[in-house]
């Protein structure tokens, strides 16, 4: 539930609850909004991902769970699997997000025209298949983007929603050892890497939200002649989650039609 700022004077809490072991700050904004829509959690319309994570964590902390019922359900599922039978899921309760609700959530999180994004321009998952691009249009009815390669603005590329990722804000909370994708220095392509040093959090001028300005990474297949992989500094904006973490839904690619270049 998006809160109307003109009708509420309550300031959102920025303190992550200590009693919640799960770190919702690691989730992508799309996943957080899905939780918020599902449970009608109240948030500000311009809330950053870090604030969404706190709101989700506080709601999660307040939920009451019937431990005996949960354990019994788990044991029933295990017993069914051991006996070779299929565990029948509980009846649909009307609360599970529908396809249309998931589409609305994705539209809320869609990148806007002129925004830089990471775009997957090949059908394979090879290293370097994601590039830096700029959004020209987003079509909500088909959930497709028209983007332009930052290195070649002569043509438009039409992509499905799950081939476009918004860039980072510095509040994502990547930890040392995290698997990420990042722009390799002096290129515009994203390559797989790991966070090799603990991030340094700073307070931006005029803001109460801490951010990470840059991350130290080790890229895959970047060994030197000595066999060692160097540490490389990359602005946090150009460090993004791996797709399997960013997208919380698996769907096949949709049919694409070739857009007309504005220069044609």
């Amino acid at each position: 539930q998006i809160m109307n700022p003109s009708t509420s004077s309550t300031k959102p809490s920025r303190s992550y609850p200590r009693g919640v072991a799960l770190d919702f700050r690691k989730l992508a904004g799309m996943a957080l909004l899905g939780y918020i829509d599902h449970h009608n959690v109240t948030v500000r319309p311009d809330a950053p991902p870090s604030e969404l994570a706190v709101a989700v964590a506080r709601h999660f902390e307040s939920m009451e769970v019937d431990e005996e019922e949960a354990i019994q359900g788990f044991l029933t599922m295990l017993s069914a699997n051991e006996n070779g039978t299929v565990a029948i899921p509980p009846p649909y309760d009307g609360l599970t997000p529908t396809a249309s609700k998931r589409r609305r959530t994705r539209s809320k999180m869609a990148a806007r025209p002129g925004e830089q994004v990471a775009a997957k321009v090949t059908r394979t998952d090879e290293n370097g298949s994601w590039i830096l691009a700029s959004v020209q249009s987003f079509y909500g009815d088909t959930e497709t983007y028209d983007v332009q390669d930052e290195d070649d603005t002569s043509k438009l590329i039409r992509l499905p929603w799950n081939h476009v990722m918004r860039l980072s804000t510095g509040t994502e909370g990547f930890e040392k050892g995290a698997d990420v994708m990042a722009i390799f220095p002096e290129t515009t392509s994203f390559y797989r890497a790991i966070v090799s040093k603990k991030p340094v959090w700073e307070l931006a001028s005029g803001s109460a939200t801490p951010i990470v300005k840059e991350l130290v990474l080790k890229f895959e297949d970047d060994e030197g002649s000595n066999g060692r992989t160097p540490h490389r500094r990359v602005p946090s904006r150009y460090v993004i989650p791996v797709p399997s973490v960013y997208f919380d839904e698996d769907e096949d690619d949709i049919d694409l039609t070739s857009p007309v270049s504005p220069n044609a």
Side-chain angles (χ1 to χ4, degrees):
Q1 180 180 349
I2 305 300
M3 177 173 58
N4 187 338
S6 64
T7 59
S8 175
S9 59
T10 303
K11 292 185 177 180
S13 173
R14 297 185 181 275
S15 176
Y16 198 86
R18 294 182 179 180
V20 178
L22 294 173
D23 191 352
F24 290 99
R25 291 167 294 190
K26 294 181 179 180
L27 293 181
M30 187 179 296
L32 294 171
L33 275 181
Y35 182 102
I36 287 167
D37 282 347
H38 181 80
H39 293 285
N40 292 320
V41 180
T42 300
V43 295
R44 296 185 302 123
D46 59 345
S50 56
E51 188 175 312
L52 297 181
V54 171
V56 168
R58 291 195 174 279
H59 177 271
F60 183 81
E61 185 180 39
S62 68
M63 294 176 66
E64 295 184 1
V65 178
D66 188 326
E67 294 184 2
E68 290 187 2
E69 182 178 345
I71 293 173
Q72 184 58 45
F74 179 67
L75 294 176
T76 299
M77 181 187 68
L78 286 181
S79 177
N81 289 339
E82 289 176 356
N83 296 331
T85 58
V86 177
I88 300 175
Y92 176 64
D93 58 8
L95 299 177
T96 303
T98 62
S100 61
K101 193 167 187 176
R102 292 197 299 269
R103 288 169 67 95
R104 289 197 299 272
T105 299
R106 291 196 292 266
S107 292
K108 289 179 184 178
M109 293 299 295
R112 303 299 181 235
E115 182 177 341
Q116 280 190 324
V117 294
K120 184 183 179 184
V121 293
T122 71
R123 295 275 182 176
T124 67
D125 292 322
E126 63 186 16
N127 213 2
S129 61
W130 291 78
I131 65 169
L132 185 65
S134 61
V135 173
Q136 303 303 304
S137 301
F138 174 72
Y139 306 99
D141 54 342
T142 58
E143 296 192 281
T144 56
Y145 287 92
D146 284 347
V147 304
Q148 284 183 335
D149 183 343
E150 290 286 37
D151 280 344
D152 180 7
T153 59
S154 64
K155 61 182 179 180
L156 292 178
I157 308 170
R158 181 155 294 175
L159 298 172
W161 67 271
N162 55 2
H163 280 209
V164 174
M165 296 170 62
R166 302 184 76 173
L167 300 184
S168 298
T169 63
T171 62
E172 283 69 22
F174 294 121
E175 297 181 350
K176 181 179 179 180
D179 292 318
V180 297
M181 294 198 309
I183 288 183
F184 192 84
E186 300 183 7
T187 76
T188 56
S189 295
F190 289 82
Y191 294 90
R192 290 187 289 271
I194 63 168
V195 178
S196 56
K197 291 190 178 181
K198 184 178 180 180
V200 177
W201 291 84
E202 304 176 19
L203 279 178
S205 177
S207 173
T209 303
I211 63 171
V212 174
K213 293 184 178 180
E214 69 175 9
L215 287 160
V216 180
L217 313 173
K218 283 188 176 182
F219 285 88
E220 284 188 10
D221 305 320
D222 189 32
E223 296 87 356
S225 57
N226 58 2
R228 296 181 180 179
T229 302
H231 297 278
R232 297 187 184 272
R233 295 181 180 274
V234 178
S236 61
R237 171 175 171 79
Y238 299 119
V239 180
I240 58 179
V242 294
S244 60
V245 173
Y246 183 88
F247 298 109
D248 59 338
E249 301 167 43
D250 291 325
E251 294 190 9
D252 293 334
D253 289 346
I254 60 177
D255 292 334
L256 303 179
T257 55
S258 299
V260 177
S261 170
N263 298 325

